[in-house]
Amino acid sequence: MRAADGRAPALSIRNLSVRYDTVHGPVHAVDDVSLDVWPGETVGLVGESGCGKTATALAALGLLPRPAGRVTAGRVLVGGRDLLTLGRRELQKVRGAEVAMIFQDPMSALHPAQSILAQVTEAVRVHAVDLSASAARERAVALLDLVGVPDARTRARSYPHEWSGGMRQRAMIAMAVAHRPRVLIADEPTTALDVTVQAQVLELLRRLQDEHELAIVLISHDLGVIAEMADRVAVMYAGRVVESATASALFACPRHPYTAGLLASLPRLDREGGAPRGHSRLTSESGRPAVRLPLPPRCALGQDREGCMADVPRLRPTGGAGHQAACHHAEELGAGPGHRLVEADLRR
Amino acid sequence: MTLRYLGWRLLQVVPTAAAILLIGFLLIHAAPGDPVLALAGQSGDAEYYAFVRDKFGLDEPLPVQLATYVGQVAQADLGTSYLQGRPVAEIIAERIPATLLLSVTALILSSVGGVALGAFAATRPHGLRDVTATGATLAVYAAPVFWLGQLAILVLAAGLGWFPVQGMTSPRSDATGMAAALDVAHHLALPALVLASQEIAAVFRLTRVGLLGELASDHVRTARAKGLAEWRVLVGHALRRPLIPVVTVIGGRAGHLLSGAIVTEIVFGWPGLGRLLLSSLQSRDTPVVLGIFLVVALFVVVANVGTDLAYRWLDPRVHYR
């Protein structure tokens, strides 16, 4: 954790709440989430589908699908300004310039009927209006070169469907880093890619991060990716952060039963079938997570612990070094068999 | 490649034209009534009838008449009008500008208006403006042209006096230059709007539905995440794919630019091809009718080729072989 050097966080999400209006009524997709990301740091945001990871990210940039999604509370601070209070034009100046975002599926995230070059060039020009068209194209080619597209000048004239998934994600990254943003939000950037390509893309992100102190929010449900990339991790469940810690502390000693369950759910080669002793896997649950409910229905500890239903646990410090967990029994868990799950097991 | 495609497509004109001529010729001769009666009147003077028959070759057997006519057309000669005694090509050429002016104006109104209205509605789906625009276009679309045209004349022209009732120019007007152009524009407004009303609903609905999908798509989210202003997201990214079916509709209509305005021309007394067709049919002026058929058919083929080329421009992934 690099918080200690006294600098302000590159991105600070404070008490963010997001509501989606659906046909089944309102869903509290994000509930009082706070998150800090310091320059040069990668914060992993993990959790199952529908837990609010992506909604958090989209809300930060004002990209929630309208009119269903709405921020109901909170602040998103970048460079001393609250993005949520910015006008449309000011927000457009922040997007792509100070905070950039890449998405899960680079095929659908790129316009299918425009050449890669046109799309990267557009990303260059949007915040550099004085740049001539040809200079912008040169810059676009240089960016594609930077992110490791071979023979960028020629191949940039192709269309997204003519590129491989990994190359397309590189093009997305090229657009995202065109203006050297402080923050890059990467929403499942490698989920749609195969494993070798995934490693290359992660390596590229790390290189770009080192080159200009990029703060990365890495959203993933792949704990292997998180273990490899993240300095700190926030685990989300049902719209809330239930545990937040350094990556090593979280993987070595989870202090929330959901995190422990997630770790235990990983398929392991060295143990035959089933969960490690002392943990049970998360029981499956159909539909969306029960919103505004604590874990108990799925809690490995929880069957007899009515306390959680009466007194919903809030995120609180436990175990030092910034480790926080929203569980009344965090300390018991931390002392329990969770520590056997060492981070090394998760690396590929 | 594109040139070869273009040449091949234009070559298809020949069989199309031949089929049109054959069918048109047979249809006209299958219709009840004798052109001689229309030409020479009901006098009953058998000698004069025979003279007319002989003059226009109407006493020949049908296959011979057809062969003669096709032979003429192959030499780019559309023949002579029975009624006016002037070359058909000349008569048609005179009428084309008026029809094109009306149709093209209507097409521009409906495409630009439909796309703009669709974008206007789709950016606030299910809101007041969306519901209003959807309802209004549907109502106009459901109304038949002749009714809508007469309603417009009754209310806006005859009633309120905002527009002239009939024709393309003011009678006895000696205006020239800009004043003449404005006079024509004044006459053009109502018929163009009425004609456009038929297409605007289709364009509107296609644009709206396409945009609703695109505005929620990942690549539009990327465009927004880049920091593009909303109108650039709309015009540069979101509108592009919805325009493809719009081009199909517009391209389809473009073929009917010469023939689609018949009812409107009649209602508004517009001196175009449609009115010429009607009067020629009534007077059984066969060469003029066939000439109009041919010109309209050629125009349809050319418009279709143009539509295909427009697809390629909108979506460069489209290739023609």
PDB file of all heavy atoms in Angstrom, chain A residues 88 92 95-96 103 108-109 111-112 114 119 122 127 159 161 175, chain B residues 218-219 221-222 224-230 236-237 240-241 316-317:
ATOM      1  N   ARG A  88     -22.118  18.910 -17.704  1.00  0.00           N
ATOM      2  CA  ARG A  88     -21.885  17.983 -18.789  1.00  0.00           C
ATOM      3  C   ARG A  88     -20.553  18.228 -19.496  1.00  0.00           C
ATOM      4  O   ARG A  88     -19.781  17.320 -19.759  1.00  0.00           O
ATOM      5  CB  ARG A  88     -23.025  18.173 -19.784  1.00  0.00           C
ATOM      6  CG  ARG A  88     -23.513  16.914 -20.398  1.00  0.00           C
ATOM      7  CD  ARG A  88     -24.755  17.272 -21.165  1.00  0.00           C
ATOM      8  NE  ARG A  88     -25.223  16.146 -21.942  1.00  0.00           N
ATOM      9  CZ  ARG A  88     -26.269  16.215 -22.751  1.00  0.00           C
ATOM     10  NH1 ARG A  88     -26.919  17.353 -22.881  1.00  0.00           N
ATOM     11  NH2 ARG A  88     -26.654  15.175 -23.424  1.00  0.00           N
ATOM     12  N   GLN A  92     -17.158  15.954 -19.637  1.00  0.00           N
ATOM     13  CA  GLN A  92     -16.594  15.473 -20.896  1.00  0.00           C
ATOM     14  C   GLN A  92     -15.098  15.771 -20.973  1.00  0.00           C
ATOM     15  O   GLN A  92     -14.339  15.015 -21.574  1.00  0.00           O
ATOM     16  CB  GLN A  92     -17.327  16.117 -22.082  1.00  0.00           C
ATOM     17  CG  GLN A  92     -18.666  15.464 -22.369  1.00  0.00           C
ATOM     18  CD  GLN A  92     -19.600  16.349 -23.158  1.00  0.00           C
ATOM     19  OE1 GLN A  92     -19.226  17.417 -23.613  1.00  0.00           O
ATOM     20  NE2 GLN A  92     -20.837  15.908 -23.305  1.00  0.00           N
ATOM     21  N   ARG A  95     -13.458  12.948 -18.817  1.00  0.00           N
ATOM     22  CA  ARG A  95     -13.494  11.622 -19.432  1.00  0.00           C
ATOM     23  C   ARG A  95     -12.433  11.507 -20.515  1.00  0.00           C
ATOM     24  O   ARG A  95     -12.347  12.337 -21.413  1.00  0.00           O
ATOM     25  CB  ARG A  95     -14.843  11.382 -20.105  1.00  0.00           C
ATOM     26  CG  ARG A  95     -15.993  11.199 -19.169  1.00  0.00           C
ATOM     27  CD  ARG A  95     -17.244  11.077 -20.010  1.00  0.00           C
ATOM     28  NE  ARG A  95     -18.457  11.001 -19.205  1.00  0.00           N
ATOM     29  CZ  ARG A  95     -19.671  11.223 -19.704  1.00  0.00           C
ATOM     30  NH1 ARG A  95     -19.803  11.541 -20.974  1.00  0.00           N
ATOM     31  NH2 ARG A  95     -20.732  11.119 -18.944  1.00  0.00           N
ATOM     32  N   GLY A  96     -11.660  10.449 -20.431  1.00  0.00           N
ATOM     33  CA  GLY A  96     -10.656  10.219 -21.458  1.00  0.00           C
ATOM     34  C   GLY A  96      -9.408  11.045 -21.274  1.00  0.00           C
ATOM     35  O   GLY A  96      -8.364  10.741 -21.822  1.00  0.00           O
ATOM     36  N   PHE A 103     -13.154  -1.618 -21.315  1.00  0.00           N
ATOM     37  CA  PHE A 103     -14.298  -2.473 -21.023  1.00  0.00           C
ATOM     38  C   PHE A 103     -14.008  -3.946 -21.288  1.00  0.00           C
ATOM     39  O   PHE A 103     -12.993  -4.310 -21.854  1.00  0.00           O
ATOM     40  CB  PHE A 103     -15.502  -2.026 -21.849  1.00  0.00           C
ATOM     41  CG  PHE A 103     -15.869  -0.593 -21.600  1.00  0.00           C
ATOM     42  CD1 PHE A 103     -15.438   0.415 -22.451  1.00  0.00           C
ATOM     43  CD2 PHE A 103     -16.611  -0.244 -20.481  1.00  0.00           C
ATOM     44  CE1 PHE A 103     -15.763   1.731 -22.214  1.00  0.00           C
ATOM     45  CE2 PHE A 103     -16.940   1.077 -20.248  1.00  0.00           C
ATOM     46  CZ  PHE A 103     -16.513   2.067 -21.110  1.00  0.00           C
ATOM     47  N   SER A 108     -17.316  -5.371 -28.881  1.00  0.00           N
ATOM     48  CA  SER A 108     -18.520  -4.540 -28.873  1.00  0.00           C
ATOM     49  C   SER A 108     -18.215  -3.126 -28.399  1.00  0.00           C
ATOM     50  O   SER A 108     -18.983  -2.212 -28.652  1.00  0.00           O
ATOM     51  CB  SER A 108     -19.602  -5.173 -27.999  1.00  0.00           C
ATOM     52  OG  SER A 108     -19.180  -5.234 -26.658  1.00  0.00           O
ATOM     53  N   ALA A 109     -17.074  -2.945 -27.725  1.00  0.00           N
ATOM     54  CA  ALA A 109     -16.754  -1.606 -27.227  1.00  0.00           C
ATOM     55  C   ALA A 109     -16.192  -0.706 -28.316  1.00  0.00           C
ATOM     56  O   ALA A 109     -16.113   0.499 -28.143  1.00  0.00           O
ATOM     57  CB  ALA A 109     -15.770  -1.696 -26.059  1.00  0.00           C
ATOM     58  N   HIS A 111     -16.441   0.755 -32.282  1.00  0.00           N
ATOM     59  CA  HIS A 111     -17.483   0.908 -33.299  1.00  0.00           C
ATOM     60  C   HIS A 111     -17.186  -0.052 -34.445  1.00  0.00           C
ATOM     61  O   HIS A 111     -16.093  -0.030 -34.999  1.00  0.00           O
ATOM     62  CB  HIS A 111     -17.514   2.344 -33.815  1.00  0.00           C
ATOM     63  CG  HIS A 111     -18.766   2.660 -34.578  1.00  0.00           C
ATOM     64  ND1 HIS A 111     -19.028   2.110 -35.807  1.00  0.00           N
ATOM     65  CD2 HIS A 111     -19.837   3.419 -34.263  1.00  0.00           C
ATOM     66  CE1 HIS A 111     -20.211   2.543 -36.228  1.00  0.00           C
ATOM     67  NE2 HIS A 111     -20.718   3.343 -35.300  1.00  0.00           N
ATOM     68  N   PRO A 112     -18.160  -0.894 -34.788  1.00  0.00           N
ATOM     69  CA  PRO A 112     -17.874  -1.941 -35.772  1.00  0.00           C
ATOM     70  C   PRO A 112     -17.615  -1.421 -37.181  1.00  0.00           C
ATOM     71  O   PRO A 112     -16.982  -2.104 -37.975  1.00  0.00           O
ATOM     72  CB  PRO A 112     -19.140  -2.806 -35.744  1.00  0.00           C
ATOM     73  CG  PRO A 112     -20.207  -1.917 -35.208  1.00  0.00           C
ATOM     74  CD  PRO A 112     -19.521  -0.975 -34.264  1.00  0.00           C
ATOM     75  N   GLN A 114     -16.145   1.581 -38.057  1.00  0.00           N
ATOM     76  CA  GLN A 114     -15.101   2.598 -38.225  1.00  0.00           C
ATOM     77  C   GLN A 114     -13.755   1.926 -38.057  1.00  0.00           C
ATOM     78  O   GLN A 114     -13.606   1.026 -37.234  1.00  0.00           O
ATOM     79  CB  GLN A 114     -15.244   3.698 -37.168  1.00  0.00           C
ATOM     80  CG  GLN A 114     -16.396   4.652 -37.442  1.00  0.00           C
ATOM     81  CD  GLN A 114     -16.576   5.654 -36.321  1.00  0.00           C
ATOM     82  OE1 GLN A 114     -15.646   5.914 -35.566  1.00  0.00           O
ATOM     83  NE2 GLN A 114     -17.770   6.199 -36.202  1.00  0.00           N
ATOM     84  N   GLN A 119     -10.910   5.512 -34.923  1.00  0.00           N
ATOM     85  CA  GLN A 119     -11.394   5.563 -33.548  1.00  0.00           C
ATOM     86  C   GLN A 119     -10.320   6.048 -32.579  1.00  0.00           C
ATOM     87  O   GLN A 119     -10.606   6.803 -31.650  1.00  0.00           O
ATOM     88  CB  GLN A 119     -11.931   4.185 -33.138  1.00  0.00           C
ATOM     89  CG  GLN A 119     -13.089   3.780 -34.019  1.00  0.00           C
ATOM     90  CD  GLN A 119     -13.776   2.507 -33.559  1.00  0.00           C
ATOM     91  OE1 GLN A 119     -14.162   2.381 -32.405  1.00  0.00           O
ATOM     92  NE2 GLN A 119     -13.920   1.556 -34.459  1.00  0.00           N
ATOM     93  N   GLU A 122      -9.787   9.723 -33.184  1.00  0.00           N
ATOM     94  CA  GLU A 122     -10.848  10.519 -32.556  1.00  0.00           C
ATOM     95  C   GLU A 122     -10.563  10.718 -31.074  1.00  0.00           C
ATOM     96  O   GLU A 122     -10.737  11.808 -30.524  1.00  0.00           O
ATOM     97  CB  GLU A 122     -12.186   9.820 -32.745  1.00  0.00           C
ATOM     98  CG  GLU A 122     -13.349  10.610 -32.191  1.00  0.00           C
ATOM     99  CD  GLU A 122     -14.659   9.876 -32.357  1.00  0.00           C
ATOM    100  OE1 GLU A 122     -14.761   8.716 -31.918  1.00  0.00           O
ATOM    101  OE2 GLU A 122     -15.583  10.473 -32.921  1.00  0.00           O
ATOM    102  N   HIS A 127      -9.505  15.658 -27.057  1.00  0.00           N
ATOM    103  CA  HIS A 127      -8.954  16.559 -26.039  1.00  0.00           C
ATOM    104  C   HIS A 127      -7.748  17.333 -26.560  1.00  0.00           C
ATOM    105  O   HIS A 127      -6.984  17.895 -25.791  1.00  0.00           O
ATOM    106  CB  HIS A 127      -8.559  15.775 -24.790  1.00  0.00           C
ATOM    107  CG  HIS A 127      -9.727  15.115 -24.134  1.00  0.00           C
ATOM    108  ND1 HIS A 127     -10.782  15.817 -23.613  1.00  0.00           N
ATOM    109  CD2 HIS A 127     -10.023  13.810 -23.936  1.00  0.00           C
ATOM    110  CE1 HIS A 127     -11.674  14.980 -23.100  1.00  0.00           C
ATOM    111  NE2 HIS A 127     -11.248  13.754 -23.294  1.00  0.00           N
ATOM    112  N   TYR A 159     -10.627  -2.815 -39.678  1.00  0.00           N
ATOM    113  CA  TYR A 159     -11.805  -2.636 -38.829  1.00  0.00           C
ATOM    114  C   TYR A 159     -11.744  -3.619 -37.672  1.00  0.00           C
ATOM    115  O   TYR A 159     -11.059  -4.639 -37.756  1.00  0.00           O
ATOM    116  CB  TYR A 159     -13.064  -2.844 -39.680  1.00  0.00           C
ATOM    117  CG  TYR A 159     -13.195  -1.729 -40.673  1.00  0.00           C
ATOM    118  CD1 TYR A 159     -12.578  -1.804 -41.914  1.00  0.00           C
ATOM    119  CD2 TYR A 159     -13.861  -0.557 -40.335  1.00  0.00           C
ATOM    120  CE1 TYR A 159     -12.642  -0.748 -42.813  1.00  0.00           C
ATOM    121  CE2 TYR A 159     -13.943   0.495 -41.223  1.00  0.00           C
ATOM    122  CZ  TYR A 159     -13.333   0.399 -42.460  1.00  0.00           C
ATOM    123  OH  TYR A 159     -13.399   1.444 -43.329  1.00  0.00           O
ATOM    124  N   HIS A 161     -13.450  -6.019 -36.568  1.00  0.00           N
ATOM    125  CA  HIS A 161     -13.662  -7.457 -36.762  1.00  0.00           C
ATOM    126  C   HIS A 161     -12.478  -8.138 -37.427  1.00  0.00           C
ATOM    127  O   HIS A 161     -12.408  -9.357 -37.457  1.00  0.00           O
ATOM    128  CB  HIS A 161     -14.938  -7.695 -37.588  1.00  0.00           C
ATOM    129  CG  HIS A 161     -14.814  -7.312 -39.031  1.00  0.00           C
ATOM    130  ND1 HIS A 161     -14.873  -6.011 -39.464  1.00  0.00           N
ATOM    131  CD2 HIS A 161     -14.620  -8.060 -40.135  1.00  0.00           C
ATOM    132  CE1 HIS A 161     -14.730  -5.987 -40.778  1.00  0.00           C
ATOM    133  NE2 HIS A 161     -14.575  -7.212 -41.214  1.00  0.00           N
ATOM    134  N   MET A 175      -6.454   4.054 -26.805  1.00  0.00           N
ATOM    135  CA  MET A 175      -7.367   5.201 -26.717  1.00  0.00           C
ATOM    136  C   MET A 175      -7.408   5.724 -25.283  1.00  0.00           C
ATOM    137  O   MET A 175      -7.442   6.928 -25.046  1.00  0.00           O
ATOM    138  CB  MET A 175      -8.779   4.796 -27.157  1.00  0.00           C
ATOM    139  CG  MET A 175      -8.856   4.368 -28.590  1.00  0.00           C
ATOM    140  SD  MET A 175     -10.531   4.456 -29.256  1.00  0.00           S
ATOM    141  CE  MET A 175     -11.354   3.212 -28.310  1.00  0.00           C
TER     142      MET A 175
ATOM    143  N   ASP B 218     -22.331  -0.851 -26.216  1.00  0.00           N
ATOM    144  CA  ASP B 218     -21.002  -0.698 -25.628  1.00  0.00           C
ATOM    145  C   ASP B 218     -20.162   0.334 -26.369  1.00  0.00           C
ATOM    146  O   ASP B 218     -19.424   1.090 -25.748  1.00  0.00           O
ATOM    147  CB  ASP B 218     -20.271  -2.043 -25.660  1.00  0.00           C
ATOM    148  CG  ASP B 218     -20.814  -3.005 -24.623  1.00  0.00           C
ATOM    149  OD1 ASP B 218     -21.753  -2.615 -23.905  1.00  0.00           O
ATOM    150  OD2 ASP B 218     -20.304  -4.137 -24.539  1.00  0.00           O
ATOM    151  N   HIS B 219     -20.269   0.362 -27.694  1.00  0.00           N
ATOM    152  CA  HIS B 219     -19.364   1.276 -28.400  1.00  0.00           C
ATOM    153  C   HIS B 219     -19.781   2.728 -28.215  1.00  0.00           C
ATOM    154  O   HIS B 219     -18.933   3.619 -28.255  1.00  0.00           O
ATOM    155  CB  HIS B 219     -19.206   0.896 -29.872  1.00  0.00           C
ATOM    156  CG  HIS B 219     -20.422   1.060 -30.711  1.00  0.00           C
ATOM    157  ND1 HIS B 219     -20.804   2.253 -31.239  1.00  0.00           N
ATOM    158  CD2 HIS B 219     -21.360   0.178 -31.098  1.00  0.00           C
ATOM    159  CE1 HIS B 219     -21.905   2.099 -31.928  1.00  0.00           C
ATOM    160  NE2 HIS B 219     -22.278   0.845 -31.853  1.00  0.00           N
ATOM    161  N   ARG B 221     -20.989   3.730 -25.347  1.00  0.00           N
ATOM    162  CA  ARG B 221     -20.431   3.990 -24.020  1.00  0.00           C
ATOM    163  C   ARG B 221     -18.949   4.330 -24.140  1.00  0.00           C
ATOM    164  O   ARG B 221     -18.454   5.251 -23.475  1.00  0.00           O
ATOM    165  CB  ARG B 221     -20.630   2.741 -23.145  1.00  0.00           C
ATOM    166  CG  ARG B 221     -20.245   2.947 -21.709  1.00  0.00           C
ATOM    167  CD  ARG B 221     -20.542   1.718 -20.887  1.00  0.00           C
ATOM    168  NE  ARG B 221     -19.789   0.573 -21.376  1.00  0.00           N
ATOM    169  CZ  ARG B 221     -19.951  -0.671 -20.931  1.00  0.00           C
ATOM    170  NH1 ARG B 221     -20.845  -0.933 -20.007  1.00  0.00           N
ATOM    171  NH2 ARG B 221     -19.230  -1.654 -21.412  1.00  0.00           N
ATOM    172  N   THR B 222     -18.237   3.605 -25.012  1.00  0.00           N
ATOM    173  CA  THR B 222     -16.821   3.924 -25.237  1.00  0.00           C
ATOM    174  C   THR B 222     -16.674   5.352 -25.748  1.00  0.00           C
ATOM    175  O   THR B 222     -15.802   6.096 -25.281  1.00  0.00           O
ATOM    176  CB  THR B 222     -16.211   2.955 -26.269  1.00  0.00           C
ATOM    177  OG1 THR B 222     -16.410   1.616 -25.823  1.00  0.00           O
ATOM    178  CG2 THR B 222     -14.734   3.227 -26.451  1.00  0.00           C
ATOM    179  N   ARG B 224     -18.588   7.834 -25.277  1.00  0.00           N
ATOM    180  CA  ARG B 224     -18.808   8.777 -24.169  1.00  0.00           C
ATOM    181  C   ARG B 224     -17.607   8.788 -23.235  1.00  0.00           C
ATOM    182  O   ARG B 224     -17.189   9.843 -22.760  1.00  0.00           O
ATOM    183  CB  ARG B 224     -20.058   8.376 -23.395  1.00  0.00           C
ATOM    184  CG  ARG B 224     -21.334   8.658 -24.139  1.00  0.00           C
ATOM    185  CD  ARG B 224     -22.536   8.541 -23.195  1.00  0.00           C
ATOM    186  NE  ARG B 224     -23.758   8.859 -23.908  1.00  0.00           N
ATOM    187  CZ  ARG B 224     -24.802   8.036 -23.998  1.00  0.00           C
ATOM    188  NH1 ARG B 224     -24.785   6.864 -23.389  1.00  0.00           N
ATOM    189  NH2 ARG B 224     -25.869   8.384 -24.672  1.00  0.00           N
ATOM    190  N   ALA B 225     -17.048   7.594 -22.985  1.00  0.00           N
ATOM    191  CA  ALA B 225     -15.903   7.511 -22.072  1.00  0.00           C
ATOM    192  C   ALA B 225     -14.690   8.236 -22.644  1.00  0.00           C
ATOM    193  O   ALA B 225     -13.813   8.668 -21.906  1.00  0.00           O
ATOM    194  CB  ALA B 225     -15.567   6.049 -21.784  1.00  0.00           C
ATOM    195  N   LYS B 226     -14.626   8.357 -23.968  1.00  0.00           N
ATOM    196  CA  LYS B 226     -13.534   9.108 -24.592  1.00  0.00           C
ATOM    197  C   LYS B 226     -13.620  10.588 -24.253  1.00  0.00           C
ATOM    198  O   LYS B 226     -12.648  11.314 -24.410  1.00  0.00           O
ATOM    199  CB  LYS B 226     -13.645   9.004 -26.117  1.00  0.00           C
ATOM    200  CG  LYS B 226     -13.090   7.774 -26.764  1.00  0.00           C
ATOM    201  CD  LYS B 226     -13.359   7.905 -28.266  1.00  0.00           C
ATOM    202  CE  LYS B 226     -12.891   6.692 -29.038  1.00  0.00           C
ATOM    203  NZ  LYS B 226     -13.220   6.852 -30.476  1.00  0.00           N
ATOM    204  N   GLY B 227     -14.813  11.040 -23.883  1.00  0.00           N
ATOM    205  CA  GLY B 227     -14.994  12.456 -23.594  1.00  0.00           C
ATOM    206  C   GLY B 227     -15.651  13.205 -24.739  1.00  0.00           C
ATOM    207  O   GLY B 227     -15.627  14.432 -24.780  1.00  0.00           O
ATOM    208  N   LEU B 228     -16.228  12.479 -25.691  1.00  0.00           N
ATOM    209  CA  LEU B 228     -16.904  13.146 -26.802  1.00  0.00           C
ATOM    210  C   LEU B 228     -18.160  13.846 -26.307  1.00  0.00           C
ATOM    211  O   LEU B 228     -18.848  13.358 -25.423  1.00  0.00           O
ATOM    212  CB  LEU B 228     -17.303  12.119 -27.860  1.00  0.00           C
ATOM    213  CG  LEU B 228     -16.190  11.518 -28.709  1.00  0.00           C
ATOM    214  CD1 LEU B 228     -16.754  10.440 -29.615  1.00  0.00           C
ATOM    215  CD2 LEU B 228     -15.512  12.590 -29.523  1.00  0.00           C
ATOM    216  N   ALA B 229     -18.436  14.998 -26.925  1.00  0.00           N
ATOM    217  CA  ALA B 229     -19.679  15.694 -26.614  1.00  0.00           C
ATOM    218  C   ALA B 229     -20.844  14.844 -27.097  1.00  0.00           C
ATOM    219  O   ALA B 229     -20.712  14.074 -28.040  1.00  0.00           O
ATOM    220  CB  ALA B 229     -19.702  17.060 -27.292  1.00  0.00           C
ATOM    221  N   GLU B 230     -21.989  15.007 -26.438  1.00  0.00           N
ATOM    222  CA  GLU B 230     -23.113  14.129 -26.707  1.00  0.00           C
ATOM    223  C   GLU B 230     -23.569  14.184 -28.173  1.00  0.00           C
ATOM    224  O   GLU B 230     -23.916  13.146 -28.754  1.00  0.00           O
ATOM    225  CB  GLU B 230     -24.257  14.482 -25.753  1.00  0.00           C
ATOM    226  CG  GLU B 230     -25.340  13.423 -25.639  1.00  0.00           C
ATOM    227  CD  GLU B 230     -24.837  12.051 -25.182  1.00  0.00           C
ATOM    228  OE1 GLU B 230     -23.826  11.991 -24.448  1.00  0.00           O
ATOM    229  OE2 GLU B 230     -25.445  11.040 -25.567  1.00  0.00           O
ATOM    230  N   GLY B 236     -21.692  10.914 -34.787  1.00  0.00           N
ATOM    231  CA  GLY B 236     -20.536  10.162 -35.260  1.00  0.00           C
ATOM    232  C   GLY B 236     -20.606   8.678 -34.971  1.00  0.00           C
ATOM    233  O   GLY B 236     -20.016   7.869 -35.690  1.00  0.00           O
ATOM    234  N   HIS B 237     -21.296   8.293 -33.894  1.00  0.00           N
ATOM    235  CA  HIS B 237     -21.270   6.888 -33.496  1.00  0.00           C
ATOM    236  C   HIS B 237     -22.637   6.230 -33.536  1.00  0.00           C
ATOM    237  O   HIS B 237     -22.831   5.214 -34.185  1.00  0.00           O
ATOM    238  CB  HIS B 237     -20.686   6.747 -32.093  1.00  0.00           C
ATOM    239  CG  HIS B 237     -19.231   7.059 -32.034  1.00  0.00           C
ATOM    240  ND1 HIS B 237     -18.256   6.094 -31.946  1.00  0.00           N
ATOM    241  CD2 HIS B 237     -18.574   8.241 -32.089  1.00  0.00           C
ATOM    242  CE1 HIS B 237     -17.059   6.659 -31.951  1.00  0.00           C
ATOM    243  NE2 HIS B 237     -17.224   7.971 -32.028  1.00  0.00           N
ATOM    244  N   ARG B 240     -24.938   6.039 -37.010  1.00  0.00           N
ATOM    245  CA  ARG B 240     -24.392   5.447 -38.213  1.00  0.00           C
ATOM    246  C   ARG B 240     -25.120   4.170 -38.631  1.00  0.00           C
ATOM    247  O   ARG B 240     -25.565   4.037 -39.763  1.00  0.00           O
ATOM    248  CB  ARG B 240     -22.927   5.152 -37.979  1.00  0.00           C
ATOM    249  CG  ARG B 240     -22.208   5.010 -39.271  1.00  0.00           C
ATOM    250  CD  ARG B 240     -20.846   5.587 -39.169  1.00  0.00           C
ATOM    251  NE  ARG B 240     -20.052   5.108 -40.257  1.00  0.00           N
ATOM    252  CZ  ARG B 240     -18.925   5.666 -40.625  1.00  0.00           C
ATOM    253  NH1 ARG B 240     -18.479   6.702 -39.968  1.00  0.00           N
ATOM    254  NH2 ARG B 240     -18.245   5.180 -41.611  1.00  0.00           N
ATOM    255  N   ARG B 241     -25.237   3.238 -37.719  1.00  0.00           N
ATOM    256  CA  ARG B 241     -25.868   1.976 -38.122  1.00  0.00           C
ATOM    257  C   ARG B 241     -27.371   2.109 -38.330  1.00  0.00           C
ATOM    258  O   ARG B 241     -27.901   1.512 -39.267  1.00  0.00           O
ATOM    259  CB  ARG B 241     -25.521   0.878 -37.118  1.00  0.00           C
ATOM    260  CG  ARG B 241     -24.054   0.472 -37.271  1.00  0.00           C
ATOM    261  CD  ARG B 241     -23.827  -0.912 -36.772  1.00  0.00           C
ATOM    262  NE  ARG B 241     -23.946  -0.962 -35.324  1.00  0.00           N
ATOM    263  CZ  ARG B 241     -23.638  -2.057 -34.634  1.00  0.00           C
ATOM    264  NH1 ARG B 241     -23.260  -3.155 -35.246  1.00  0.00           N
ATOM    265  NH2 ARG B 241     -23.742  -2.039 -33.326  1.00  0.00           N
ATOM    266  N   PRO B 316     -18.239   0.511 -44.413  1.00  0.00           N
ATOM    267  CA  PRO B 316     -17.193   0.153 -45.369  1.00  0.00           C
ATOM    268  C   PRO B 316     -16.890  -1.341 -45.379  1.00  0.00           C
ATOM    269  O   PRO B 316     -16.174  -1.813 -46.243  1.00  0.00           O
ATOM    270  CB  PRO B 316     -15.975   0.940 -44.875  1.00  0.00           C
ATOM    271  CG  PRO B 316     -16.516   1.959 -43.947  1.00  0.00           C
ATOM    272  CD  PRO B 316     -17.769   1.389 -43.367  1.00  0.00           C
ATOM    273  N   ARG B 317     -17.451  -2.089 -44.411  1.00  0.00           N
ATOM    274  CA  ARG B 317     -17.203  -3.528 -44.425  1.00  0.00           C
ATOM    275  C   ARG B 317     -17.974  -4.200 -45.551  1.00  0.00           C
ATOM    276  O   ARG B 317     -17.707  -5.326 -45.903  1.00  0.00           O
ATOM    277  CB  ARG B 317     -17.608  -4.151 -43.091  1.00  0.00           C
ATOM    278  CG  ARG B 317     -16.728  -3.702 -41.944  1.00  0.00           C
ATOM    279  CD  ARG B 317     -17.249  -4.238 -40.644  1.00  0.00           C
ATOM    280  NE  ARG B 317     -18.620  -3.802 -40.411  1.00  0.00           N
ATOM    281  CZ  ARG B 317     -19.383  -4.279 -39.459  1.00  0.00           C
ATOM    282  NH1 ARG B 317     -18.944  -5.219 -38.676  1.00  0.00           N
ATOM    283  NH2 ARG B 317     -20.606  -3.824 -39.296  1.00  0.00           N
TER     284      ARG B 317
END
